[in-house]
Amino acid sequence: MRLEYCAYNKHITNYSKEMGSVFKAIDYGVQSIALPIHFLVKTQDIIPEHIDLATPIDYPMGYSSSRTKIGAVLNAVKSGANII
C-alpha cells in the first residue's frame, strides 16, 4: 500500500502554508504527493526525487473532451507529474 498526500484545492491562497503541509507529509513518510497542476508547477523542483508527483486530470466532474484531457496530461507531464 502506498501512502499519498492529496491536496486538490483549486484555490490555494497561501502557497507557503500549503508547502509546509507538503513537507510535513514528506517527513511522515509519504511516497507520493498529489497536487493540482498549478501548484505542481511551483513545486516540481523542490520535491525530493524519491517522491512521486501526481496530479488529477479533469477532476472532479470529468466532462472535458478527450482532446482537452490529452492536452492536460501532456501539460502535467511537462510540469513534473509521473502519476496521472
Side-chain angles (χ1 to χ4, degrees):
M1 180 170 62
R2 294 184 62 82
L3 185 60
E4 180 177 73
Y5 173 79
C6 297
Y8 291 152
N9 184 3
K10 295 191 307 187
H11 306 289
I12 297 171
T13 56
N14 187 340
Y15 283 94
S16 298
K17 182 180 176 186
E18 193 65 38
M19 274 311 295
S21 296
V22 168
F23 281 108
K24 193 179 289 186
I26 291 171
D27 289 342
Y28 284 124
V30 298
Q31 291 94 18
S32 61
I33 305 289
L35 301 168
I37 187 70
H38 64 91
F39 193 51
L40 187 70
V41 170
K42 296 178 183 300
T43 60
Q44 69 177 350
D45 295 331
I46 56 177
I47 300 293
E49 282 191 28
H50 69 279
I51 303 293
D52 290 325
L53 292 174
T55 192
I57 301 298
D58 201 19
Y59 178 81
M61 303 305 282
Y63 294 147
S64 295
S65 68
S66 295
R67 187 176 190 158
T68 301
K69 290 176 188 176
I70 291 168
V73 168
L74 292 174
N75 189 23
V77 170
K78 289 177 186 175
S79 298
N82 56 5
I83 297 175
I84 303 294

